[in-house]
Amino acid sequence: MESEDRRKQIIDILTKASSPVTGTELSKKCQVSRQIIVGDVALLRARGISIISTPRGYQLDHAGHVGIQRMIVVCHGPEQMRAELEAIVDNGGRVHNVVVEHQVYGYLEGALNLRSRRDVDQYIHRMQVAHAELLSRISGGIHSHLIEADTEADIAAIEGALDKLGILYNP
């Protein structure tokens, strides 16, 4: 299969999928390595195709935002990561990203796209398996998240839960 045909097939698979599709699934369907799929997704994104990565795989970003978005700033160590993320999703929030400010590189962002405890579990599992460091380690634990919720009351509940955990950043 030619590379352009494969990229069209990836878009077709993601368009028809009712849930995220893993890179491994795409590689099997396209009969190429997972690394080829990673490269294809990067090229498709560069062309303006809105493909997001979630802990469960790739999906097209159909909806854009449908609720209220807010940037929240928090400060904590790795031991509170699960509590932080669960406080957000348990109160109706979606965690789009994590952002830190680096002295040299400036604004560094990692996509998260967490919507449920299942997503949080999978994200934490992937971090553990990869022995990956949190981005917030380079900023002394201070980081922000773009969160989204359906109502202002949900946003207030999220902020209240984070404040109760003692991690909402209030210098």
Side-chain angles (χ1 to χ4, degrees), residues 5-168:
D5 292 334
R6 184 178 61 249
R7 291 180 196 117
K8 287 177 186 173
Q9 183 180 7
I10 290 169
I11 294 169
D12 187 54
I13 292 167
L14 295 177
T15 300
K16 293 176 181 174
S18 59
S19 61
V21 182
T22 68
T24 301
E25 291 175 71
L26 288 171
S27 69
K28 287 178 184 174
K29 289 179 180 181
C30 296
Q31 300 178 339
V32 294
S33 72
R34 188 180 176 291
Q35 192 58 39
I36 296 292
I37 296 298
V38 169
D40 284 344
V41 168
L43 288 169
L44 289 168
R45 285 175 174 155
R47 293 180 187 169
I49 307 295
S50 186
I51 300 173
I52 59 174
S53 299
T54 74
R56 294 187 315 226
Y58 296 111
Q59 65 186 48
L60 292 177
D61 186 12
H62 297 294
H65 82 75
V66 295
I68 298 159
Q69 292 189 340
R70 179 91 29 91
M71 186 68 77
I72 57 166
V73 180
V74 292
C75 183
H76 63 81
E79 70 284 349
Q80 289 182 291
M81 177 179 60
R82 177 180 291 279
E84 170 205 27
L85 297 174
E86 287 178 350
I88 297 169
V89 300
D90 287 353
N91 284 287
R94 295 169 290 285
V95 186
H96 288 284
N97 64 9
V98 58
V99 176
V100 297
E101 190 70 31
H102 188 273
Q103 302 173 35
V104 176
Y105 299 114
Y107 177 91
L108 298 176
E109 176 183 359
L112 295 181
N113 300 304
L114 306 175
R115 298 173 177 269
S116 66
R117 277 191 178 234
R118 180 177 176 212
D119 287 349
V120 171
D121 287 342
Q122 290 177 341
Y123 168 69
I124 291 172
H125 177 74
R126 287 178 63 196
M127 292 290 289
Q128 290 169 340
V129 167
H131 302 289
E133 294 285 342
L134 296 177
L135 271 180
S136 59
R137 182 168 185 203
I138 64 174
S139 60
I142 299 172
H143 58 286
S144 59
H145 295 289
L146 176 62
I147 62 169
E148 180 181 325
D150 294 333
T151 67
E152 283 290 346
D154 292 338
I155 295 287
I158 291 165
E159 290 175 336
L162 295 173
D163 192 39
K164 186 175 180 179
L165 288 170
I167 63 175
L168 197 60

